[in-house]
Amino acid sequence: MEELTFGTLIAVLEEMFGQALFWVMVAAAALITVAFVYVVIRDRSLRSRWFLRAELVAPVGAFAAIWFVFFITRSGFGDIGGPIDVIALILIGLAGAIGLTFLAYTVQALLGGG
């Protein structure tokens, strides 16, 4: 593979997770993002109390994302081979943390949790 294109990246991710699971994850991420943007536009700002509570679950999201990828790929920390694997692991954790933060904030806002 001489160059990485968007189509190649999608094909690799579909191969890793399976086509159905990959597209379900994409749809879930899109739905959570749209709901988050809706809540921010509706409220015209971020509420600091809700955001702080949402940030507290970020480490859980990071851990869950890393565990999920290790489970799906049947690998573990012993399989990390070099710097690019560490970078990928950090990005996976970051995506999980951000995703769960968005979800937690959105759930609080939609349920009206004071």
Side-chain angles (χ1 to χ4, degrees), residues 11-79:
V12 168
L13 291 172
E14 282 181 347
E15 184 68 27
M16 258 177 67
F17 294 110
Q19 192 172 18
L21 178 60
F22 172 71
W23 289 109
V24 166
M25 290 189 314
V26 169
L31 182 66
I32 291 168
T33 303
V34 167
F36 178 76
V37 169
Y38 164 76
V39 165
V40 171
I41 291 172
R42 180 193 72 182
D43 296 344
R44 294 194 176 111
S45 68
L46 288 174
R47 297 196 181 174
S48 60
R49 181 179 299 192
W50 290 348
F51 194 64
L52 177 61
R53 283 190 215 147
E55 285 177 325
L56 291 175
V57 297
V60 174
F63 176 77
I66 292 168
W67 176 84
F68 178 74
V69 170
F70 280 166
F71 178 77
I72 289 294
T73 60
R74 294 181 180 93
S75 59
F77 287 106
D79 298 316

Side-chain angles (χ1 to χ4, degrees), residues 58 61-62 65 88-102:
L89 194 63
I90 290 168
L91 291 175
I92 290 166
L94 187 62
I98 292 170
L100 192 57
T101 301
F102 276 19

